[in-house]
Amino acid sequence: MREPRIDAYHVPSAPRAIVLMLHGGQEHSTDDVSNRHASWWRLALMARALRRFAKEHDLSLHLLQYRVRGWNGSQAPAPVGDARWALARVVEQHPGVPVVLVGHSMGGRTACRVADDPTVAGVVALAPWLPEGEPNRTISGRHLHVIHGTRDRWTSARWSRRYVERCQSIALDATWTSLPGAGHFMLRRLNVWNSFVKDSILAILDRPSPSPGESASTRDGRA
């Protein structure tokens, strides 16, 4: 089996933070991931679109390509191991720099699973696959920003919202945004998806920890 791959889109000498992007996949598949797979190149297109933003804000921007396409079980999901491998390597370049994880679909689930890494400040999840009962303790003390289209037929907006609601008592902040009329694959209103990612990254990096008793928010629809 081949190694995972990390593509760098912008690497300043002294970054303010690291953004690691995680693409989607399938529930079950041992096929190798390649550049021709839509789940990967969808995030590659977004990473290219974010390159200027990364330069303007001194962000180190990377995209992980998993070894295989599938999640492949709850005990040791394949992309989770790859994401932890990638985190170790991007942080090795810039020790002590906070990381924001950006994941689409299965990548959103993967990001939430590895958010307990001490370097991770928060997660931005785009139409994430977060099934009923998904463990959420990894979000404790982290920021979580989720957006989901109302016409998504591949992953459940209802379950991603419930995941966010379950995280609100343990996260620094946890927000859920509905995107009316949008489906799963981010083919329409791409500028809105991109803007959500940019705004969420800056919010995670700029927002101070909430005071005791301050609650996180769940909001509907105007990303």
Side-chain angles (χ1 to χ4, degrees), residues 129-168:
W129 173 35
L130 293 168
E132 182 179 9
E134 177 69 11
N136 72 332
R137 298 304 301 177
T138 52
I139 302 299
S140 180
R142 309 297 192 271
H143 300 273
L144 175 64
H145 293 227
V146 176
I147 187 170
H148 221 127
T150 60
R151 294 187 178 179
D152 195 321
R153 299 295 178 264
W154 289 78
T155 59
S156 171
R158 179 178 58 143
W159 287 120
S160 75
R161 180 169 186 157
R162 290 189 180 183
Y163 181 89
V164 169
E165 290 170 348
R166 289 194 292 119
C167 289
Q168 288 178 348

Side-chain angles (χ1 to χ4, degrees), residues 1 18 20 40 51 55 59 66-67 83 97 99 105 118 130 134 145 148 154 156 163 167 178 184 204:
M1 184 181 293
I18 298 168
L20 178 61
W40 178 85
R51 186 179 281 141
K55 291 178 180 179
L59 303 176
Y66 313 126
R67 292 168 296 166
V97 175
V99 177
S105 192
L130 293 168
E134 177 69 11
H145 293 227
H148 221 127
W154 289 78
S156 171
Y163 181 89
C167 289
S178 172
H184 183 69
I204 289 169

Side-chain angles (χ1 to χ4, degrees), residues 200-223:
S200 295
I201 290 171
L202 294 181
I204 289 169
L205 296 177
D206 293 340
R207 183 173 179 177
S209 300
S211 58
E214 182 182 348
S215 63
S217 66
T218 301
R219 65 184 187 271
D220 285 317
R222 297 172 181 80

Side-chain angles (χ1 to χ4, degrees), residues 62-197:
H62 305 264
L63 170 61
L64 170 64
Q65 186 176 95
Y66 313 126
R67 292 168 296 166
V68 298
R69 301 184 71 189
W71 180 261
N72 300 332
S74 59
Q75 296 302 315
V80 170
D82 292 348
R84 292 199 185 279
W85 172 89
L87 272 170
R89 276 148 187 79
V90 296
V91 170
E92 185 178 25
Q93 299 176 33
H94 303 288
V97 175
V99 177
V100 178
L101 300 171
V102 178
H104 174 248
S105 192
M106 185 180 77
R109 187 179 187 182
T110 302
C112 290
R113 284 287 184 102
V114 303
D116 58 347
D117 187 284
T119 64
V120 173
V123 170
V124 183
L126 314 172
W129 173 35
L130 293 168
E132 182 179 9
E134 177 69 11
N136 72 332
R137 298 304 301 177
T138 52
I139 302 299
S140 180
R142 309 297 192 271
H143 300 273
L144 175 64
H145 293 227
V146 176
I147 187 170
H148 221 127
T150 60
R151 294 187 178 179
D152 195 321
R153 299 295 178 264
W154 289 78
T155 59
S156 171
R158 179 178 58 143
W159 287 120
S160 75
R161 180 169 186 157
R162 290 189 180 183
Y163 181 89
V164 169
E165 290 170 348
R166 289 194 292 119
C167 289
Q168 288 178 348
S169 63
I170 61 173
L172 291 179
D173 70 300
T175 69
W176 186 91
T177 300
S178 172
L179 186 52
H184 183 69
F185 300 109
M186 303 189 298
L187 298 176
R188 294 183 179 182
R189 304 181 70 182
L190 184 58
N191 61 320
V192 178
W193 294 98
N194 288 346
S195 293
F196 180 85
V197 172

